[in-house]
Amino acid sequence: MDAKLLSGILLISVILISGCTTAINDNQQGDTELSQNQIDEVYDDLGDLIIDETNGVELGSLI
Amino acid sequence: MKRINGAVILSLFLLFSFSSAFAEDNETSLYEVELNDSNLENELLIMDVPEGIALRFLQLEEQLEIKINHSNQIIEMIGEINSSIDTSDLQLIVDELVLIKDEVSNYTTIEAVNELEDALTTFVDLKTDSLELITEFRTIVNELLSDAEIELLHESLNLNYSNLGLETQIRNMIRMYNSERLQKMYQGINMQNDSVIGQVMNGTMNKEQIMIHLKSAYEDSNMTMQQFAVKLKQHVTEGKVNASAKIQQAVMNYTNRQIERIRVRIQNSNLTIGNASGLVQGLNNKIDSINEKVNAWMSSHTQDSGATSGSQTQGNNVDSGNQANGSGN
């Protein structure tokens, strides 16, 4: 009985670890397959990191 | 069987610890502050390098200088509209904005930001103080004047104020920042292009041209467009995660730092402002008001949640607040 319970716990642990590993791998693999839209988004985001005079600090209006 | 019991107890203990930690964190942020600043994350995005930090402080200084100029004009115009209107509260706000601008101007060089212990939190603090004061200024003006009079202010306000020295410093810092940013991106994709960096540094390549260059730069690498974009995406994602984490960090203990900043301003006001007694009184009142807010939150929260881990967090805040209040007065 004890051994069965222990096996159950071990099995659940293995499933959880396996699930997490798969999710991480999927995520990494997903990164390497960007659509053209996603590539455009990357360059849009890069546009926030390259600065010109229009990208300043905002303090709101006095009146 | 004992081992299994031990494992179950350990698991429950871990679960309980995690839930307690999250509960305490949520309660702390509930009390601490609400940063109603939709631009903040975007502004922090570039502050992972000293050039980006110095640039944001320079831009904050410039904005404060412009707001101080405009608010002085507004006070003068209110006096012209109706000389019996008391504008002393507005003047106190301007005086405090001057003190904040002086603080900000200490952090506008790369050497200065390198010495700062936590530059991003300092930026968030000073910007939030500025935003609060500007909101307060706007609220008071709305109470003092009619809609037609405010419209008149809008029409009459001279928006052409500029500080050429600051503008030049900002322009130069933008070039330094962009070249540093490009270098970091190149490092991430194992490339080097001194010619482009040089053009960005001397101002012959603007943002639009940099973006065009980045879109075609994969041709000079041994990567496909896909691989190149993936590498660049990592750079962007890291920056966004850092900016978000920094905002969360800045929210923690915000009120204690705010009280400390006001106390420093009380000391500085005598050096900067000619007759500072009104400002000192106003700043002391602000400390009292913050403490009242903390105490009100504490008593309502204690009634709501009883003796939980959150109560301990609140207790710490109140102690600090009361100490600050005592010395502030």
Side-chain angles (χ1 to χ4, degrees), chain B residues 60-237:
Chain B
L60 181 56
E61 184 185 4
E62 185 189 40
Q63 280 302 306
L64 281 166
E65 204 167 294
I66 290 170
K67 296 298 178 194
I68 289 164
N69 174 276
H70 291 175
S71 51
N72 279 327
Q73 285 186 57
I74 290 167
I75 291 172
E76 203 178 313
M77 285 190 277
I78 291 173
E80 287 167 9
I81 291 169
N82 183 347
S83 58
S84 64
I85 292 177
D86 180 9
T87 55
S88 54
D89 284 346
L90 293 176
Q91 190 56 54
L92 291 180
I93 291 173
V94 179
D95 289 344
E96 196 175 343
L97 285 173
V98 170
L99 292 175
I100 295 175
K101 187 185 85 71
D102 289 347
E103 287 172 56
V104 170
S105 66
N106 292 327
Y107 310 124
T108 52
T109 63
I110 291 168
E111 295 76 24
V113 298
N114 280 336
E115 285 177 17
L116 263 175
E117 198 175 315
D118 189 347
L120 273 76
T121 300
T122 305
F123 176 81
V124 173
D125 285 350
L126 293 173
K127 197 198 163 189
T128 307
D129 286 350
S130 310
L131 277 174
E132 279 181 7
L133 287 168
I134 285 165
T135 304
E136 198 182 334
F137 189 97
R138 189 169 61 242
T139 306
I140 295 174
V141 171
N142 282 330
E143 286 167 0
L144 291 176
L145 301 180
S146 66
D147 289 349
E149 287 167 333
I150 290 172
E151 188 54 37
L152 187 67
L153 288 185
H154 274 291
E155 288 168 8
S156 313
L157 195 61
N158 178 4
L159 300 171
N160 291 328
Y161 175 83
S162 64
N163 178 334
L164 289 178
L166 256 180
E167 281 177 11
T168 306
Q169 282 186 67
I170 288 171
R171 201 176 306 123
N172 289 337
M173 197 60 81
I174 286 174
R175 291 173 186 175
M176 288 169 70
Y177 163 78
N178 279 339
S179 58
E180 176 65 21
R181 174 63 58 196
L182 265 185
Q183 260 176 350
K184 275 192 168 292
M185 286 182 188
Y186 279 141
Q187 281 167 9
I189 51 184
N190 297 320
M191 282 180 73
Q192 194 175 345
N193 193 330
D194 293 340
S195 162
V196 169
I197 300 288
Q199 287 178 64
V200 174
M201 193 69 170
N202 65 29
T204 53
M205 191 182 251
N206 63 25
K207 177 178 174 173
E208 195 182 347
Q209 291 164 321
I210 295 170
M211 293 309 295
I212 291 170
H213 162 75
L214 274 175
K215 284 180 182 176
S216 61
Y218 77 93
E219 291 167 2
D220 302 326
S221 72
N222 52 4
M223 286 180 259
T224 64
M225 187 200 282
Q226 284 271 345
Q227 290 167 329
F228 193 76
V230 167
K231 289 277 184 190
L232 290 177
K233 189 185 175 191
Q234 284 170 2
H235 192 82
V236 173
T237 308

Side-chain angles (χ1 to χ4, degrees), chain B residues 29-43:
Chain B
S29 53
L30 257 182
Y31 156 65
E32 290 291 347
V33 273
E34 284 179 35
L35 297 180
N36 296 317
D37 185 355
S38 56
N39 300 308
L40 190 58
E41 192 163 329
N42 205 34
E43 288 164 5

